[in-house]
């Protein structure tokens, strides 16, 4: 927390922040995790320090005295300073701030009259909405990416379903959960690697996989597969060949040997981890990693099949993360990229 860690202010106020973060370090999804709570609170206290003259002596008074205009001003500060484009990002910011104020009310008796009143809080939300209209924020609801801990948990769970199936994978009588989980794990790992959208997964054919080169063609991009995943794909193809009983071009099939078209079956293995078969949250985490390594947004769109709106939301989240990183490191990277441009020497 750049501003909070460097602020030589009241340790009592800092203590409320740190204990709040510890309390809210249990979320599975990215927007429920401590990294997001920390980021949003950093912006809020940055506003308090820069715009409300927060000091060692007035912390509690300022928190108690936050009114409709100041809460709204903190949102405007967030939108303008960090170039926020999505209303969902603002909603997440407000959710964290509301949670923090409820926490300091219940734990430290620092009561804010607006947060403490459902009627005033509802009025505040309406006021904020009206004041942010001029910024033309994108209002489409955006799903939150998972965090890195859940990402690793899914990899481990998928590997378990692939490498140690609980039942006979080619049992053809009745419902074969082992086979369903096996195929679902193979598909989920493909999403964990590429961030692919469901419709793009359904379009993959057997001819799109190069057995010798361990490469797969996705939306006209040829992608190398990690060694372990390539072995698992080969295992899947062996099972597939023993199950399929017709000319099925689709790479992924069900136990009847037909093209797999059920979204629920495709992501069956997601549910035991977080209670959902929704893969977009997984894909968005992967897209964020693609953005971090410098893959152009247009290329990510073409590869994954997601809209620019979704890609831009991921880019906004990545940019927010960068804004709270070491400024010296950001400066070093930016300077290096500028000097690498062809026009640099011409100037």
């Amino acid at each position: 927390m750049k501003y909070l860690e460097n602020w030589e202010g009241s340790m009592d106020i800092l203590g409320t922040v740190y204990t709040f973060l510890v309390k809210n370090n249990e979320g599975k999804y990215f927007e429920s995790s401590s990294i997001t709570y920390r980021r949003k609170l950093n912006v809020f206290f940055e506003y308090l320090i820069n715009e409300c003259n927060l000091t060692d002596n007035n912390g509690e008074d300022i928190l108690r005295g936050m009114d409709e205009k100041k809460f709204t001003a903190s949102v405007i500060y967030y939108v303008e300073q960090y170039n926020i484009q999505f209303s969902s990002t603002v909603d997440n910011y407000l959710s964290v701030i509301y949670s923090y104020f409820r926490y300091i009310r219940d734990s430290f008796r620092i009561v804010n009259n607006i947060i403490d009143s459902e009627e005033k809080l509802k009025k505040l939300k309406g006021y904020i909405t009206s004041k942010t209209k001029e910024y033309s924020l994108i209002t489409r609801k955006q799903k939150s990416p998972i965090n890195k801990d859940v990402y690793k948990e899914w990899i481990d769970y998928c590997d378990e379903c692939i490498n140690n199936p609980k039942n006979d994978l080619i049992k053809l009588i009745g419902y074969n959960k082992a086979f369903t989980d096996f195929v679902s794990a193979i598909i989920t790992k493909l999403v964990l690697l590429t961030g692919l959208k469901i419709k793009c997964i359904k379009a993959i054919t057997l001819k799109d996989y190069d057995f010798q080169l361990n490469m797969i063609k996705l939306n006209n991009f040829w992608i190398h597969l990690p060694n372990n995943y390539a072995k698992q794909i080969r295992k899947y193809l062996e099972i597939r060949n023993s199950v399929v009983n017709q000319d099925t071009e689709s790479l992924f099939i069900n136990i009847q040997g037909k093209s797999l078209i059920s979204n629920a079956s495709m992501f069956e293995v997601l549910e035991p981890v977080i209670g959902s078969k929704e893969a977009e949250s997984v894909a968005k985490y992967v897209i964020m990693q693609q953005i971090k390594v410098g893959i152009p947004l247009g290329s990510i769109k073409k590869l994954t099949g997601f809209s620019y709106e979704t890609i831009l939301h991921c880019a906004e989240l990545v940019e927010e993360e960068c804004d709270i990183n070491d400024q010296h490191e950001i400066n070093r990277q930016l300077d290096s990229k500028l000097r690498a441009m062809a026009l640099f020497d011409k100037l």
Side-chain angles (χ1 to χ4, degrees):
M1 291 181 296
K2 181 175 60 178
Y3 274 82
L4 291 177
E5 290 174 351
N6 295 332
W7 179 47
E8 298 178 355
S10 169
M11 288 305 296
D12 290 337
I13 295 299
L14 287 180
T16 67
V17 174
Y18 287 120
T19 54
F20 173 74
L21 291 175
V22 170
K23 180 177 180 293
N24 289 280
N25 192 27
E26 301 173 352
K28 286 287 189 180
Y29 282 99
F30 189 89
E31 291 298 346
S32 298
S33 66
S34 65
I35 187 173
T36 296
Y37 278 88
R38 187 181 301 114
R39 184 168 62 244
K40 307 303 187 189
L41 282 174
N42 184 77
V43 174
F44 178 65
F45 275 88
E46 178 184 325
Y47 160 77
L48 293 181
I49 293 167
N50 291 342
E51 304 296 327
C52 299
N53 299 315
L54 182 69
T55 68
D56 185 37
N57 299 318
N58 63 8
E60 290 190 18
D61 290 338
I62 284 181
L63 293 175
R64 286 192 176 95
M66 288 289 293
D67 57 17
E68 187 178 84
K69 290 184 179 180
K70 287 182 179 178
F71 276 118
T72 304
S74 78
V75 172
I76 300 302
Y77 180 90
Y78 182 36
V79 170
E80 291 183 345
Q81 293 295 320
Y82 292 89
N83 192 30
I84 301 303
Q85 302 176 57
F86 290 83
S87 61
S88 59
T89 305
V90 171
D91 292 340
N92 287 327
Y93 168 79
L94 289 171
S95 178
V96 171
I97 301 307
Y98 297 155
S99 296
Y100 170 70
F101 270 86
R102 291 189 182 98
Y103 172 72
I104 61 176
R105 176 196 64 189
D106 297 338
S107 301
F108 300 97
R109 297 183 180 178
I110 301 176
V111 179
N112 179 278
N113 290 331
I114 290 182
I115 302 298
D116 207 38
S117 167
E118 289 298 326
E119 182 180 346
K120 291 180 179 180
L121 189 56
K122 182 178 180 181
K123 182 180 177 183
L124 171 62
K125 292 177 180 178
Y127 187 71
I128 289 174
T129 299
S130 66
K131 289 296 182 181
T132 55
K133 278 185 178 180
E134 63 183 89
Y135 294 92
S136 300
L137 299 178
I138 299 172
T139 57
R140 180 185 173 190
K141 186 66 176 177
Q142 291 291 328
K143 290 183 173 63
S144 301
I146 59 171
N147 61 37
K148 63 180 180 181
D149 293 330
V150 176
Y151 182 87
K152 185 179 184 307
E153 190 174 345
W154 259 323
I155 292 177
D156 293 341
Y157 188 76
C158 286
D159 285 343
E160 182 67 20
C161 292
I162 296 169
N163 300 330
N164 301 298
K166 295 181 179 179
N167 297 301
D168 182 9
L169 290 175
I170 57 175
K171 179 177 74 73
L172 301 178
I173 300 175
Y175 175 63
N176 189 338
K177 179 169 174 52
F179 182 84
T180 299
D181 287 351
F182 175 74
V183 178
S184 175
I186 292 288
I187 293 173
T188 299
K189 287 197 72 171
L190 186 60
V191 177
L192 289 167
L193 172 66
T194 64
L196 214 61
K197 194 170 185 178
I198 291 177
K199 68 175 183 179
C200 300
I201 296 172
K202 293 179 178 179
I204 303 172
T205 68
L206 196 59
K207 295 179 181 178
D208 291 325
Y209 177 70
D210 189 311
F211 188 90
Q212 292 183 323
L213 297 179
N214 287 330
M215 297 180 71
I216 191 168
K217 186 170 72 172
L218 308 172
N219 294 325
N220 294 318
F221 291 97
W222 280 100
I223 306 296
H224 282 93
L225 299 179
N227 291 338
N228 182 54
Y229 184 49
K231 292 178 182 177
Q232 294 171 335
I233 285 283
R234 291 182 180 183
K235 179 180 178 179
Y236 163 71
L237 289 175
E238 292 175 3
I239 301 295
R240 182 188 185 281
N241 290 338
S242 64
V243 171
V244 70
N245 54 14
Q246 55 185 318
D247 293 331
T248 303
E249 294 185 357
S250 298
L251 179 61
F252 300 113
I253 62 171
N254 58 26
I255 193 63
Q256 287 77 39
K258 299 179 180 180
S259 298
L260 187 62
I261 59 175
S262 168
N263 295 353
S265 296
M266 291 173 69
F267 298 108
E268 185 80 19
V269 295
L270 300 187
E271 190 166 36
V273 180
I274 61 164
S276 170
K277 298 178 183 179
E278 173 57 61
E280 185 173 335
S281 295
V282 184
K284 291 183 80 168
Y285 175 83
V286 177
I287 290 170
M288 288 178 66
Q289 310 318 305
Q290 294 171 349
I291 293 170
K292 288 178 182 179
V293 298
I295 300 177
L297 301 189
S299 297
I300 294 175
K301 177 181 180 296
K302 292 176 182 177
L303 170 64
T304 65
F306 280 97
S307 67
Y308 263 125
E309 207 168 84
T310 299
I311 306 299
L312 286 173
H313 183 242
C314 292
E316 181 170 287
L317 295 175
V318 170
E319 188 173 349
E320 279 199 89
E321 284 188 11
C322 291
D323 282 331
I324 64 169
N325 287 336
D326 179 38
Q327 185 61 37
H328 177 73
E329 176 64 17
I330 296 172
N331 185 88
R332 186 187 65 80
Q333 293 176 358
L334 179 60
D335 181 62
S336 175
K337 294 293 185 182
L338 288 173
R339 286 187 288 115
M341 294 171 63
L343 58 80
F344 185 85
D345 292 331
K346 295 180 180 180
L347 295 171

